[in-house]
Amino acid sequence: MTATQGQKKTLKTEIELFITNKVKELRKANNIGQKKLSLELRLSISFVGRAENPYSKAKYNLNHINEIARFFNVPFSYFFPETHLEKDCIEEYLDIHPKAKARNEKMMRDYEEKARKEREAKEKAKKEKAAAKKKATSKKK
């Protein structure tokens, strides 16, 4: 999802929005305000409002979800879809957060470079061993 001139960019993935909407539904169904829920979670008064805003980076973590489930007396699973979402939420997250994407790409390049060097070192050692073996058999003759 990309933003055009003048539009805000959503800062949450599909799964984060799903969870946020489930909390919001439950909160409204029980006539609980954002402030009250923030206080129940022992967070800043504005946290729930920011978590419910798709243009804010604030989101619930697993500890928050557990406390919300306890507060409303619902199962933890209430906040998750019955099956996985079809969208690749990690790719979506990396698209939303370019710094995380850059770190991930650097990590992958570093990993590939290390693997390449290890392969080259193994090949070199194998060639050296073969050459030493060949030299040893030629000395015996």
Side-chain angles (χ1 to χ4, degrees), residues 26 30 65-66 68-79:
L26 192 56
N30 286 277
I65 295 167
N66 186 66
I68 294 166
R70 283 172 27 116
F71 179 71
F72 289 109
N73 196 29
V74 296
F76 190 79
S77 61
Y78 174 87
F79 302 100

Side-chain angles (χ1 to χ4, degrees), residues 10 12 28 34 51 57 74 78 84 98 123 128:
T10 300
K12 292 181 173 64
K28 286 186 172 189
Q34 293 176 341
K57 289 181 182 180
V74 296
Y78 174 87
H84 66 277
E123 288 173 18
E128 288 172 353

Side-chain angles (χ1 to χ4, degrees), residues 42-59:
R42 295 171 290 235
L43 297 167
S44 70
I45 291 173
S46 62
F47 180 82
V48 171
R50 290 192 327 272
E52 290 181 2
N53 180 346
Y55 308 111
S56 168
K57 289 181 182 180
K59 54 190 146 238

Side-chain angles (χ1 to χ4, degrees), residues 10-14 16-17 50-51 53-54 56 58 92 96:
T10 300
L11 296 177
K12 292 181 173 64
T13 64
E14 188 175 331
E16 291 166 342
L17 290 170
R50 290 192 327 272
N53 180 346
S56 168
E92 184 182 19
I96 292 170

Side-chain angles (χ1 to χ4, degrees), residues 26-138:
L26 192 56
R27 185 179 61 71
K28 286 186 172 189
N30 286 277
N31 202 24
I32 301 292
Q34 293 176 341
K35 179 179 177 181
K36 176 148 176 62
L37 186 56
S38 288
L39 294 171
E40 283 296 326
L41 296 174
R42 295 171 290 235
L43 297 167
S44 70
I45 291 173
S46 62
F47 180 82
V48 171
R50 290 192 327 272
E52 290 181 2
N53 180 346
Y55 308 111
S56 168
K57 289 181 182 180
K59 54 190 146 238
Y60 299 112
N61 65 33
L62 295 175
N63 299 309
H64 299 145
I65 295 167
N66 186 66
E67 289 307 306
I68 294 166
R70 283 172 27 116
F71 179 71
F72 289 109
N73 196 29
V74 296
F76 190 79
S77 61
Y78 174 87
F79 302 100
F80 297 92
E82 287 185 29
T83 65
H84 66 277
L85 300 176
E86 289 302 317
K87 189 169 222 170
D88 181 342
C89 292
I90 292 175
E91 189 63 38
E92 184 182 19
Y93 179 87
L94 293 174
D95 287 343
I96 292 170
H97 303 282
K99 287 181 181 178
K101 186 173 190 168
R103 282 191 308 271
N104 178 265
E105 288 170 350
K106 181 185 181 321
M107 177 189 67
M108 294 306 290
R109 283 191 307 272
D110 292 350
Y111 175 79
E112 289 167 1
E113 178 67 14
K114 182 179 176 186
R116 184 188 60 77
K117 286 180 179 178
E118 287 174 357
R119 276 192 313 276
E120 288 174 356
K122 278 184 179 180
E123 288 173 18
K124 183 179 177 183
K126 189 176 180 180
K127 285 179 184 178
E128 288 172 353
K129 186 176 179 180
K133 187 175 182 181
K134 185 177 181 181
K135 187 176 179 181
T137 56
S138 65

